[in-house]
Structures are given as C-alpha cells and as structure tokens.
Amino acid sequence: MAVRVSSLVKPRGAWWQSLGRDERLWVGLVVIWGLAMFAMIVFIWPAIGARDNDIQAYRVDPATFHDKVEAFTAANKVGEIAGVPVVAAPAGGDAYLEAAAFSWRPFLQLQRGKQYRLLLSSRDLQHGFSLVFGPRSLNYQVLPGYITVVQITPERSGEFPVVCNEYCGLGHHLMLGRVIVKD
C-alpha cells in the first residue's frame, strides 16, 4: 500500500489543539515586545537619539555629473598630486567627488570648521564611499545615475583617505581618494 506524502495532505489523528497556558504567555510576550520595538523605532529613538548626517539623493545623468565635476575642478584647482587634481572647495559651498573605475576625482581640500555640501556620484558602476573623518566616519553607496548629497563639517585637520568599500573590480584595492583638511 502506497503512503501519501505531501505537505498539503491533512495529517492523521488529532494534530490541532488549542494553545496551552505557557504558549499563550509566550505569544503575548512576543506581541508586546514587537509593539514596544515598533514604538521605539518610530517615536522614541527619533525623539531622543542623535542623528548622523542628513543625506539626500537625486537622479542625475552620469555624463551631466561628470561635466559638473570637470567644471568644479577647473574653477577651483589649486594643485596636483600624482596626476590627480587637488581642488579647494569654496567654504559653505558644494564639493563634487566622482567615482570611476578605480579612482576618486578630484582630491578635495577643505577648511576645518567650515560646512560643505559633498556631492557624490559614480560614472560607471556601484562603488562604496568610506571616509574616516576625525571622530566620525562616513559610509555611503555611490551609484551611477544618482547624486548623494551629504552635509559635512571637518572637525580635524589632516589628510584623510577615501576608500571604496564596495568591490568594483580587479583594481578595487587601488581605488583611493584623498580629503585634505587645512586650518
């Protein structure tokens, strides 16, 4: 005699019984815990917690963003390191940074204590932007077709490496940028 084996067939015998006292207690605790976590996420943490940077994202044509980076670089270039232009972004203004196959362009020069709008995008594929910037670090995904805008205020002077933290190809480990903060 063949035995029917299917998850859709009702099992034999008495398989369903109402919940016992301990099971009802645990289900009640789980529901209460879930509601408490929902309230914490939606109401309590935003009210009392410190927020990281506000970020915004917009759609952009990669060629248009590249043209803006080139114009920004031409207007604010102050030097060059290993063939990469060093650009002094105007205090309180925009600072453009573009990711492309294994490089960040340009190197940015900022002033400590001044606020900037950092505009990030990629020309070719997904990259990761990682900057350990004084007491804080910034980590964002950089996508082609999108501008990520971050408000930053450098708190320490020095040179800070920009690292791609999203594997982007064979030259991924060579993809280093630089942010130079001066007093």
Side-chain angles (χ1 to χ4, degrees), residues 65-135:
F65 186 80
H66 178 71
D67 292 343
K68 288 184 176 187
V69 172
E70 291 298 319
F72 169 73
T73 302
N76 301 293
K77 184 177 176 182
V78 293
E80 196 169 294
I81 298 174
V84 179
V86 178
V87 175
D94 293 343
Y96 289 84
L97 189 59
E98 182 180 46
F102 319 132
S103 69
W104 292 98
R105 277 183 49 95
F107 290 165
L108 295 176
Q109 181 176 304
L110 309 175
Q111 288 187 326
R112 187 170 63 97
K114 303 291 183 183
Q115 188 174 39
Y116 298 90
R117 271 179 18 120
L118 180 60
L119 293 94
L120 306 164
S121 189
S122 171
R123 191 175 351 161
D124 48 14
L125 48 92
Q126 178 178 346
H127 296 279
F129 172 82
S130 179
L131 173 64
V132 178
F133 203 45

Side-chain angles (χ1 to χ4, degrees), residues 27-72:
V27 168
L29 289 173
V30 167
V31 169
I32 290 169
W33 181 251
L35 292 173
M37 291 304 294
F38 178 77
M40 293 284 287
I41 291 169
V42 173
F43 303 111
I44 298 173
W45 285 331
I48 63 172
R51 293 176 49 175
D52 284 343
N53 293 325
D54 286 328
I55 63 168
Q56 301 168 338
Y58 308 100
R59 284 188 161 270
V60 67
D61 176 45
T64 302
F65 186 80
H66 178 71
D67 292 343
K68 288 184 176 187
V69 172
E70 291 298 319
F72 169 73

